Amino acid sequence: MKKIYLLSLSVLLSSAVFVQDKEPITYGVKVGLTAAVIRNLDEENIPDDRKSMKSFYVGGLASIPIGPTLLFGGKIYFEPGLFYVGKGTKQAASDSYGFYSLEQRISYLEIPMNFTSYYQVGTGKLMFRPGLYIGFALGGTAKLESSGIYAAQLIADNKPSSFSRDLAFGSNKAYKTADFGMNLGLGYQLKNRFSLNLDLSFSVIDISGFSPNRQGNVVAGIGLGYTFKAK
């Protein structure tokens, strides 16, 4: 899948006419909600019962015109940005014998590097947004709660039945500090420069600091954007 994605991105970029464009650079902001999970990259062989965590993202970006596409009369912009993104994962179980919940929340400072194609559709513009990102963990927390048979089993294994603690990042820690992955987005920009955005990003490197199983972030987002009028 990664090879297909990178090939598609290369085809998209090669379809643009890279010429000096007189259109000015514009700037914008985006904010939205996220559903994030840390998945096993080797999930074909490893059962994965983790659930998504709800969080948010907020940040700004620049739209740098590159040139027209060769198909459908669109135009490509290079759109780097700087965002705060909430990620994490959750494991939970609940039945008549008790419950178990382990939540991990991680805050990232993320730099997306997208190549966005804009196509005139109706009175607005349809946006297709593939790209890459690099992220740096700012910090994180882990919270465990349990009761009944789940708590009893943890205590029998000499493990705490509940805790709330900070996550450690780096080599041989809970997670690595850096994350790197791919973006894919779709949106519609209105005539008044507001936009509705749907985004998906996923790690292509192992973010686990010590686990023998490779792990990566997956984040789906929905949000609003606004592009400031060029001066």
Side-chain angles (χ1 to χ4, degrees):
M1 180 177 178
K2 298 173 189 174
K3 293 180 179 179
I4 295 175
Y5 181 90
L6 291 174
L7 178 60
S8 299
L9 182 59
S10 298
V11 171
L12 173 65
L13 295 180
S14 64
S15 69
V17 179
F18 291 89
V19 296
Q20 185 67 35
D21 201 297
K22 295 181 180 180
E23 184 179 346
I25 297 173
T26 57
Y27 301 91
V29 293
K30 290 174 62 179
V31 62
L33 302 176
T34 61
V37 67
I38 298 175
R39 69 181 181 91
N40 288 319
L41 298 179
D42 303 312
E43 61 183 0
E44 293 182 359
N45 303 315
I46 302 172
D48 198 337
D49 61 351
R50 282 173 280 197
K51 306 178 186 300
S52 64
M53 290 286 295
K54 306 301 185 292
S55 189
F56 71 97
Y57 69 87
V58 61
L61 69 158
S63 293
I64 305 169
I66 294 178
T69 62
L70 296 179
L71 298 174
F72 309 117
K75 194 166 188 178
I76 295 181
Y77 295 75
F78 174 53
E79 296 189 332
L82 185 65
F83 282 79
Y84 167 88
V85 184
K87 302 185 182 184
T89 197
K90 180 178 182 179
Q91 291 175 284
S94 178
D95 53 36
S96 59
Y97 299 102
F99 76 91
Y100 171 90
S101 174
L102 175 61
E103 296 182 352
Q104 297 182 72
R105 296 182 179 274
I106 306 175
S107 299
Y108 280 89
L109 182 66
E110 196 164 282
I111 303 171
M113 295 164 283
N114 297 324
F115 291 88
T116 306
S117 297
Y118 287 75
Y119 301 95
Q120 190 70 42
V121 177
T123 59
K125 296 178 180 179
L126 182 67
M127 300 178 290
F128 176 61
R129 189 169 44 247
L132 305 171
Y133 75 85
I134 182 169
F136 302 94
L138 301 174
T141 60
K143 182 178 181 181
L144 171 67
E145 295 178 320
S146 65
S147 69
I149 192 171
Y150 296 95
Q153 183 61 54
L154 289 169
I155 294 172
D157 294 337
N158 293 318
K159 297 179 180 179
S161 60
S162 65
F163 63 74
S164 180
R165 63 179 63 148
D166 292 335
L167 290 171
F169 296 87
S171 180
N172 298 318
K173 304 294 184 180
Y175 295 103
K176 297 173 183 175
T177 302
D179 182 22
F180 177 73
M182 299 178 179
N183 295 321
L184 187 61
L186 188 67
Y188 188 78
Q189 186 181 64
L190 302 173
K191 190 175 181 180
N192 60 9
R193 300 188 301 280
F194 280 95
S195 62
L196 175 65
N197 301 285
L198 300 174
D199 294 283
L200 177 67
S201 66
F202 51 93
S203 302
V204 296
I205 64 170
D206 180 14
I207 66 168
S208 174
F210 66 88
S211 173
N213 304 321
R214 299 186 308 123
Q215 300 179 29
N217 287 306
V218 178
V219 181
I222 181 170
L224 298 174
Y226 181 77
T227 300
F228 297 102
K229 189 175 181 179
K231 294 182 179 180

